[in-house]
Amino acid sequence: MLKRILREPLVHFLLIGIGLFVAFGLMNETEERAGENVIVVSPEDVERLRQGFESVWRRMPNEDELAALIDDHVLEEVLVREATALGLDQNDTVIRRRLRQKMDFLVGAAGSALQPDDDELAAFYAETVDDFTPPPRVSFVQIFLGEAPTETEVAAVLDALADGVDPASIGERSLLPPGVPATPEQGIDGQYGRGVFAQLLELPPGEWSGPITSGYGKHLVNVLEVTKPKSPDLESIREDVAAAWRTREVKKLSELQYKALRDRYT
């Protein structure tokens, strides 16, 4: 039982997260022991300043530039400590949001290195296969009948089509295209109005049907083709699926972490 629990990814997450929190706590304790009036510029701080300079200027700083960077770092530390002593960090929305982001980052960092095994990934893909499958597409031609055609008018148009009349010569004029190539739901509903794509899927392909309702009015429609792509093979999108799996696991860890922290408060 214990071995099975220790193999759980969330347990790994939690242990890594706890380790990060403990490390940060020890760092803070070290700073506190240094004293409020002592500023320690560690070799790690200097190296961080070097790397920051190099990322901007594409070269390492010389001695004078590095000294200026250190002086600016000390100035920032002095001002931050004084501002904190004055309580300027209290009730500041920007600071609160930034602190929350850093807490979220700790949890996210713990989960970024986790890799699912083959069975876990296959099970996750089976649960979420629709998220990785391209959406269906519909191609069709349409005749705009106006905002509110009567049943007699609709029947007259259907009779004309049955007699071989050119569809382009029938119906009301509009700026809508007479034909739409294979397009997914988002594209069709974005052009014609919400729910049009769903109505098209219910129509028999290869014949004039309707009318259906769009944001403009009524249409007779001939659905030319409904394309429903197959789900891709797992191995072809393995990295994408693994990234989605990590996102889900990090969300679970965040919820567990929040609950554990929340239980400390009344």
Side-chain angles (χ1 to χ4, degrees):
M1 180 66 176
L2 179 60
K3 291 183 178 180
R4 186 180 65 81
I5 293 176
L6 291 176
R7 287 198 298 267
E8 287 293 326
L10 286 179
V11 174
H12 300 166
F13 270 154
L14 197 56
L15 291 175
I16 295 173
I18 291 173
L20 288 172
F21 279 113
V22 170
F24 273 83
L26 292 174
M27 290 170 61
N28 290 335
E29 290 177 4
T30 301
E31 292 178 358
E32 292 174 359
R33 287 195 299 268
E36 294 182 359
N37 297 324
V38 177
I39 296 176
V40 177
V41 183
S42 67
E44 291 77 17
D45 292 328
V46 175
E47 182 59 27
R48 176 176 55 81
L49 294 173
R50 289 178 187 272
Q51 293 178 0
F53 184 95
E54 183 182 14
S55 67
V56 175
W57 300 103
R58 305 302 179 187
R59 63 177 179 83
M60 297 299 290
N62 58 38
E63 292 185 4
D64 291 338
E65 290 168 334
L66 182 59
L69 291 172
I70 295 174
D71 287 342
D72 186 68
H73 171 76
V74 172
L75 173 61
E76 180 182 272
E77 184 64 24
V78 169
L79 295 179
V80 168
R81 291 190 186 188
E82 293 299 319
T84 302
L86 292 172
L88 300 182
D89 59 323
Q90 300 299 313
N91 300 318
D92 188 304
T93 302
V94 175
I95 293 176
R96 288 171 61 87
R97 185 178 297 117
R98 181 58 177 158
L99 291 174
R100 175 175 179 170
Q101 289 174 344
K102 295 184 79 170
M103 291 294 288
D104 290 338
F105 172 77
L106 289 178
V107 178
S112 63
L114 192 62
Q115 291 290 344
D117 60 35
D118 292 341
D119 292 339
E120 289 173 325
L121 194 64
F124 174 75
Y125 183 57
E127 295 173 9
T128 60
V129 63
D130 290 343
D131 296 338
F132 300 95
T133 303
R137 297 171 177 265
V138 174
S139 60
F140 65 95
V141 291
Q142 61 88 25
I143 298 174
F144 182 54
L145 301 176
E147 294 184 6
T150 65
E151 292 184 5
T152 301
E153 291 172 333
V154 173
V157 173
L158 287 172
D159 290 341
L161 291 170
D163 291 337
V165 176
D166 184 4
S169 65
I170 308 175
E172 300 288 335
R173 290 187 176 183
S174 74
L175 297 177
L176 295 170
V180 176
T183 305
E185 179 177 8
Q186 183 178 6
I188 292 177
D189 283 3
Q191 184 173 23
Y192 285 85
R194 175 180 285 186
V196 171
F197 186 84
Q199 295 178 71
L200 293 173
L201 290 180
E202 296 177 357
L203 300 178
E207 61 182 71
W208 287 99
S209 307
I212 67 170
T213 302
S214 75
Y216 303 95
K218 302 291 185 178
H219 307 256
L220 286 178
V221 176
N222 186 347
V223 175
L224 302 178
E225 185 179 14
V226 177
T227 304
K228 296 183 178 180
K230 294 182 179 180
S231 301
D233 180 73
L234 172 58
E235 290 305 316
S236 66
I237 56 169
R238 186 181 184 87
E239 290 304 316
D240 293 336
V241 178
W245 177 86
R246 278 190 293 272
T247 298
R248 186 188 70 172
E249 297 303 306
V250 168
K251 183 179 179 181
K252 289 181 180 179
L253 176 62
S254 298
E255 293 171 352
L256 290 174
Q257 187 79 43
Y258 169 70
K259 185 179 185 305
L261 295 175
R262 179 66 179 83
D263 288 343
R264 296 166 54 184
Y265 295 85
T266 300

